[in-house]
């Protein structure tokens, strides 16, 4: 079974930085995309950043210029470097992956359990 485990969340002051990590483990045949979503209380889950194999990173407009997504394919790990954090960035951040993992033989979506990011003013 494929699992995604996030780490790196925490409490920071506005203007500070955090680096989130997400490692995929299990019987993985391929991971074609990895990214990050977030959900604040009372709001829908929204895409923050996404890397698709063979493509360029995509970012939500609200984080462009501040967040950077990167991926280590050898480790099946995706990172989110978050700089110049704002209180509006406060949310639970969820790792996302699209790929093929046992016991499935077709592409599926995988989600981490989330890590809390809180930005104080």
């Amino acid at each position: 079974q494929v699992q995604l485990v996030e780490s790196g969340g925490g409490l920071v002051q506005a203007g500070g930085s955090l680096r989130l990590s997400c490692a995929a483990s299990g019987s993985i045949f391929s991971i074609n995309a990895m990214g990050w979503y977030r959900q604040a209380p009372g709001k829908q889950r929204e895409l923050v950043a996404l890397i698709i194999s063979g493509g360029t990173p995509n970012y939500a407009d609200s984080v462009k210029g501040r967040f950077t997504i990167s991926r280590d394919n050898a480790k099946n790990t995706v990172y989110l470097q978050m700089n110049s954090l704002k209180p509006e960035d406060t949310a639970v951040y969820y790792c996302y992956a699209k790929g093929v993992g046992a016991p499935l033989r077709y592409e599926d979506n995988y989600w981490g359990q989330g890590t809390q990011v809180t930005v104080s003013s």
Side-chain angles (χ1 to χ4, degrees):
Q1 176 73 306
V2 175
Q3 292 189 91
L4 304 180
V5 180
E6 304 106 328
S7 62
L11 172 65
V12 297
Q13 296 285 334
S17 298
L18 285 173
R19 184 175 176 85
L20 305 183
S21 300
C22 173
S25 63
S27 299
I28 301 168
F29 297 116
S30 64
I31 295 179
N32 301 316
M34 295 191 77
W36 294 91
Y37 287 70
R38 68 185 181 187
Q39 187 168 21
K43 297 184 178 180
Q44 288 194 324
R45 190 172 299 187
E46 64 175 349
L47 176 67
V48 177
L50 183 70
I51 291 183
I52 300 173
S53 296
T56 57
N58 293 304
Y59 298 94
D61 288 341
S62 59
V63 307
K64 285 182 179 177
R66 300 187 297 119
F67 291 9
T68 302
I69 188 170
S70 59
R71 179 178 170 183
D72 185 334
N73 293 327
K75 297 181 179 179
N76 287 325
T77 300
V78 66
Y79 305 92
L80 186 68
Q81 179 66 46
M82 305 186 294
N83 298 325
S84 301
L85 283 162
K86 304 175 180 179
E88 308 94 271
D89 297 317
T90 296
V92 176
Y93 284 70
Y94 296 91
C95 182
Y96 165 82
K98 182 185 292 289
V100 179
L104 303 178
R105 300 189 67 182
Y106 55 87
E107 194 171 67
D108 201 7
N109 299 312
Y110 302 93
W111 292 93
Q113 301 218 350
T115 185
Q116 177 71 46
V117 171
T118 303
V119 184
S120 63
S121 60

